[in-house]
Amino acid sequence: MAPSAVEQESSVSVERVLVKPWARPEPTKEDLDWAPLVQIDLSRFDEPGGKEELAKQLYDAVTRVGFWVVVGHGIDDERVLRQFSLGNAFFKESIEEKRSFPCNFADGEYFGYRENERWIGDTGVKDNVEMLNIPKAIPAWEDVPKHRIVRQNYEEIASFHRDLFDKVLRKLFILISIILELPEDYLADAHGYDERSDDHLRYMIYNTRTREEWAKAQGYTKGGHTDFGSLTLLFSQHVAGLQIRTLEGKWKYVKPVDGGITCNTADTLSFLTNGFLKSTIHRVVTPPADQIHIPRLGLLYFCRPGDNTVMKTVPSPLLERLGLLTEEDKTDQPVATGTEYVRARVRDVHHKKVIDRRENTSFEFKGLKVANYYS
């Protein structure tokens, strides 16, 4: 189990972490095949008829594409760059400090630090991803340990965390509820910020590799995956590499949008709508030649349903008309909660020292099923 907050405070240095300003690198000059993504302008949300018009614009993205870009969200870019700066400073900390609170994958818990320690099959190449996952600032998680950079900047991080939910996620859930012909607050309440769930803000870095190392790693497994929770927010950082699989089965790059947040739907939102909402297949590949030498720093937010949200189809009139709401869905049969599913999935994917091949395999938990690999 992770150390207690009291034990951690007494065992690490109290020296303040120097946080240098981080700036986005120059965009690639390569002519990449970019995916056309719709932009949802949330500044129109409170206009008369604004929500309904935005819901119409979002419909195709959430049911067929799975990716879109939010603009007009009210999160100043200075705050975004500050969070990137905090993440960049964290990854420059000593390995001892980073290891002071590791993710407890044995129990499916994703809060804390994930080290790039896993081997990729028998390639001789290690996973190049490090991350720090920070939970919501709610009473349920007040005893979760914190790395010193988080402790020293916690009020700022917690405020950013909360604003992402209130200014972006809550509004997206309302738009999706309108699409499903549910009460507007239905999905927002099912993902309530103040409720116990495994939502987290993530600082993430893809450390640099040689082209040969990238080739070995991706020669072993170059497939895509879907995210575990409901909605994912991704802030632009300019190093290309993220691709989505289109309906035609082609891989296209996701282009960063100045001031925009790239969003995607994930597994549990698909479960809650019996597959009507698309859980997006995506992957990260070798950066372009003019960016391969740059560490790919990431800032993301993962929204996940919690203890009080059961994984069965929501009572949507639209889904009922489409034949996606079954009689069984209307009963009180026992099913997994959001927390149970997500933690089972985290445990299955991450509680290992070697990344194995997963072609033609799937993950199943209490009647829920998702593919492990998409070519």
Side-chain angles (χ1 to χ4, degrees):
M1 296 296 291
S4 72
V6 174
E7 290 171 342
Q8 189 196 38
E9 287 282 359
S10 64
S11 63
V12 298
S13 169
V14 295
E15 179 183 356
R16 190 153 191 91
V17 181
L18 176 64
V19 180
K20 296 181 179 179
W22 179 88
R24 296 179 181 90
E26 287 296 313
T28 180
K29 293 181 172 59
E30 291 196 16
D31 184 19
L32 302 179
D33 189 8
W34 301 107
L37 301 180
V38 68
Q39 292 191 19
I40 303 298
D41 184 357
L42 288 182
S43 69
R44 300 189 54 212
F45 186 86
D46 292 319
E47 295 177 0
K51 293 193 294 289
E52 290 73 19
E53 181 59 32
L54 290 173
K56 291 178 184 177
Q57 295 175 16
L58 186 60
Y59 186 99
D60 189 66
V62 296
T63 60
R64 298 179 71 252
V65 181
F67 259 77
W68 65 95
V69 177
V70 163
V71 297
H73 44 71
I75 306 289
D76 293 338
D77 198 49
E78 291 79 6
R79 294 180 70 193
V80 174
L81 289 174
R82 171 64 176 175
Q83 292 301 313
F84 272 113
S85 299
L86 290 169
N88 192 48
F90 170 77
F91 293 119
K92 295 182 184 302
E93 288 274 80
S94 69
I95 190 62
E96 291 78 18
E97 165 61 17
K98 289 189 282 191
R99 286 174 175 168
S100 66
F101 172 33
C103 296
N104 179 14
F105 290 136
D107 289 335
E109 296 174 5
Y110 219 161
F111 302 149
Y113 172 62
R114 195 190 102 181
E115 187 173 346
N116 54 329
E117 60 180 345
R118 299 183 301 172
W119 294 96
I120 300 175
D122 57 359
T123 63
V125 177
K126 275 191 173 182
D127 182 12
N128 65 333
V129 177
E130 293 178 79
M131 62 180 68
L132 174 62
N133 299 319
I134 305 168
K136 300 182 288 188
I138 61 174
W141 302 135
E142 63 184 359
D143 292 330
V144 171
K146 301 176 182 65
H147 289 85
R148 65 172 185 163
I149 195 169
V150 177
R151 295 196 306 274
Q152 292 170 3
N153 299 277
Y154 192 60
E155 183 175 344
E156 183 179 3
I157 293 169
S159 173
F160 185 75
H161 214 291
R162 181 73 197 226
D163 280 352
L164 290 184
F165 186 89
D166 289 342
K167 294 185 177 184
V168 183
L169 288 160
R170 185 185 65 82
K171 293 179 179 180
L172 289 176
F173 281 131
I174 288 173
L175 297 182
I176 296 171
S177 291
I178 291 172
I179 290 171
L180 295 170
E181 301 172 13
L182 291 165
E184 285 191 1
D185 290 333
Y186 189 96
L187 289 175
D189 290 346
H191 297 79
Y193 189 88
D194 295 310
E195 301 298 324
R196 187 179 183 273
S197 72
D198 285 353
D199 284 34
H200 56 271
L201 180 71
R202 176 177 296 177
Y203 304 145
M204 186 174 189
I205 192 167
Y206 287 81
N207 294 295
T208 56
R209 283 175 170 153
T210 65
R211 189 166 291 281
E212 179 184 15
E213 289 170 333
W214 272 108
K216 286 182 178 179
Q218 297 198 330
Y220 183 83
T221 175
K222 201 175 182 179
H225 66 278
T226 54
D227 288 343
F228 304 162
S230 291
L231 289 174
T232 302
L233 306 182
L234 170 68
F235 288 87
S236 297
Q237 45 70 48
H238 285 180
V239 178
L242 176 62
Q243 294 182 331
I244 64 171
R245 196 180 74 168
T246 67
L247 292 171
E248 297 75 29
K250 296 180 179 179
W251 291 100
K252 291 183 180 259
Y253 285 88
V254 175
K255 189 173 186 176
V257 174
D258 289 343
I261 304 173
T262 301
C263 309
N264 68 271
T265 43
D267 290 345
T268 53
L269 207 54
S270 182
F271 293 146
L272 288 171
T273 59
N274 199 7
F276 179 70
L277 299 180
K278 180 181 174 65
S279 186
T280 314
I281 301 164
H282 56 286
R283 67 183 184 182
V284 173
V285 298
T286 310
D290 59 352
Q291 294 184 323
I292 197 169
H293 62 289
I294 305 172
R296 189 173 185 272
L297 187 65
L299 175 65
L300 307 94
Y301 187 102
F302 292 85
C303 185
R304 295 172 165 174
D307 293 1
N308 299 322
T309 303
V310 293
M311 292 293 97
K312 67 177 183 179
T313 309
V314 297
S316 157
L318 174 62
L319 297 183
E320 185 156 30
R321 290 199 304 275
L322 294 172
L324 296 174
L325 183 62
T326 68
E327 291 303 316
E328 186 178 9
D329 291 322
K330 300 175 184 178
T331 67
D332 293 327
Q333 82 278 16
V335 293
T337 67
T339 299
E340 287 175 330
Y341 171 77
V342 167
R343 292 197 172 189
R345 184 82 169 120
V346 168
R347 190 163 52 245
D348 176 70
V349 172
H350 295 292
H351 187 43
K352 59 187 63 176
K353 297 297 184 183
V354 178
I355 299 174
D356 53 337
R357 289 190 184 276
R358 305 203 119 188
E359 291 92 331
N360 303 314
T361 66
S362 59
F363 172 75
E364 295 187 48
F365 180 76
K366 293 189 176 182
L368 304 170
K369 183 176 181 179
V370 64
N372 283 320
Y373 181 95
Y374 301 86
S375 60

